[in-house]
């Protein structure tokens, strides 16, 4: 049987509650600390310098080994030029790959931020137009514009920003009307 790594006085005590404000403060400090490091720039510069330097060392090692006829003179060229060049090129490629990954992650974060803002605007528009959670969740409730030939779900982006006074309620079967292709109300 192994001994526990927890202190004896904290074995029965529950973990302290951490509020959302404390978590937000800690996350903000972490983001500030991470933003101070120019990681993208350093990864791109180091990768862009080490890869060509490694290739040049491999070429110099090959040139030195190819222009001597004695084996004991070729080995130092191959070790110092060839192997060091391959290692430097590999490290440079890995750093440049890391730079590429940070760029992808930054782009994905921007997309998520934009989508979050769009979702917040749509929710705000639903609240302003009177389409609350109860109306959205009501099964079989569809709306259309006064002169429209398509019926939509109340949360459809086509009709979500319109006030309730500009919409009419549609009951199925709606003759002469077709379902919206964007919100697919019948699915």
């Amino acid at each position: 049987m192994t001994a526990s790594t927890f202190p004896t006085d904290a074995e029965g005590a529950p973990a302290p509650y951490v509020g959302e404000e404390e978590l937000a403060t800690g996350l903000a400090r972490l983001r500030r600390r991470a933003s101070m490091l120019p990681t993208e720039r350093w990864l791109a510069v180091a990768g862009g310098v080490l890869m060509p330097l490694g290739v040049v060392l491999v070429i110099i090692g090959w040139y030195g080994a190819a222009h001597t006829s004695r084996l004991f003179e070729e080995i130092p060229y191959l070790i110092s030029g060839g192997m060091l060049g391959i290692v430097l090129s590999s490290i440079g490629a890995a750093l440049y790959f890391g730079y590429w990954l940070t760029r992808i992650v930054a782009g994905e974060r921007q997309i998520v931020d934009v989508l979050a803002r769009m979702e917040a605007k749509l929710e705000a528009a639903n609240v302003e137009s009177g389409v609350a959670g109860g109306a959205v969740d009501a099964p079989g409730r569809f709306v259309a514009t006064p002169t429209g030939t398509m019926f939509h779900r109340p949360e459809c982006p086509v009709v979500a920003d319109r006030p309730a006074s500009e919409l009419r309620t549609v009951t199925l079967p709606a003759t002469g009307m077709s379902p919206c292709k964007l919100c697919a109300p019948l699915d």
Side-chain angles (χ1 to χ4, degrees), residues 3 18 60 78 87 112 115 178:
V18 177
I60 289 172
L78 293 176
V87 168
V112 168
L115 288 174
S178 60

Side-chain angles (χ1 to χ4, degrees), residues 15-58:
Y17 176 74
V18 177
E20 289 182 23
E21 296 88 22
E22 293 176 30
L23 288 175
T25 305
L27 185 60
R29 275 188 278 133
L30 185 64
R31 284 185 180 162
R32 273 195 305 265
R33 195 176 325 149
S35 67
M36 289 190 293
L37 300 173
T39 54
E40 283 185 35
R41 183 180 302 155
W42 286 110
L43 288 173
V45 168
V49 168
L50 289 178
M51 276 194 301
L53 179 65
V55 170
V56 167
L57 284 175
V58 168

Side-chain angles (χ1 to χ4, degrees), residues 3 78 101 119 135 141 152 160:
L78 293 176
L101 287 177
E119 183 179 9
R141 183 175 184 277
H152 310 268

Side-chain angles (χ1 to χ4, degrees), residues 56-68 73-74 77-78 81-82:
V56 167
L57 284 175
V58 168
I59 291 171
I60 289 172
W62 170 81
Y63 183 79
H67 287 86
T68 185
E73 291 177 349
E74 291 177 2
Y77 281 112
L78 293 176

Side-chain angles (χ1 to χ4, degrees), residues 9-177:
D9 59 341
E11 282 184 14
Y17 176 74
V18 177
E20 289 182 23
E21 296 88 22
E22 293 176 30
L23 288 175
T25 305
L27 185 60
R29 275 188 278 133
L30 185 64
R31 284 185 180 162
R32 273 195 305 265
R33 195 176 325 149
S35 67
M36 289 190 293
L37 300 173
T39 54
E40 283 185 35
R41 183 180 302 155
W42 286 110
L43 288 173
V45 168
V49 168
L50 289 178
M51 276 194 301
L53 179 65
V55 170
V56 167
L57 284 175
V58 168
I59 291 171
I60 289 172
W62 170 81
Y63 183 79
H67 287 86
T68 185
S69 60
R70 296 186 179 108
L71 182 63
F72 68 89
E73 291 177 349
E74 291 177 2
I75 292 176
Y77 281 112
L78 293 176
I79 291 174
S80 63
M83 293 181 75
L84 181 62
I86 289 172
V87 168
L88 288 180
S89 293
S90 299
I91 292 172
L95 291 174
Y96 198 74
F97 182 70
Y99 165 73
W100 179 66
L101 287 177
T102 59
R103 297 292 297 176
I104 288 175
V105 168
E108 292 293 325
R109 283 184 182 160
Q110 288 177 348
I111 289 171
V112 168
D113 289 343
V114 167
L115 288 174
R117 285 194 306 255
M118 288 174 55
E119 183 179 9
K121 284 183 180 181
L122 285 173
E123 287 177 5
N126 283 344
V127 169
E128 288 177 5
S129 66
V131 179
V136 171
D137 294 336
R141 183 175 184 277
F142 304 111
V143 295
T145 58
T147 59
T149 59
M150 296 176 91
F151 59 93
H152 310 268
R153 293 181 187 202
E155 69 270 11
C156 179
V158 176
V159 294
D161 58 346
R162 296 178 182 242
S165 61
E166 290 183 16
L167 297 175
R168 61 186 165 115
T169 304
V170 176
T171 57
L172 294 180
T175 56
M177 297 187 79

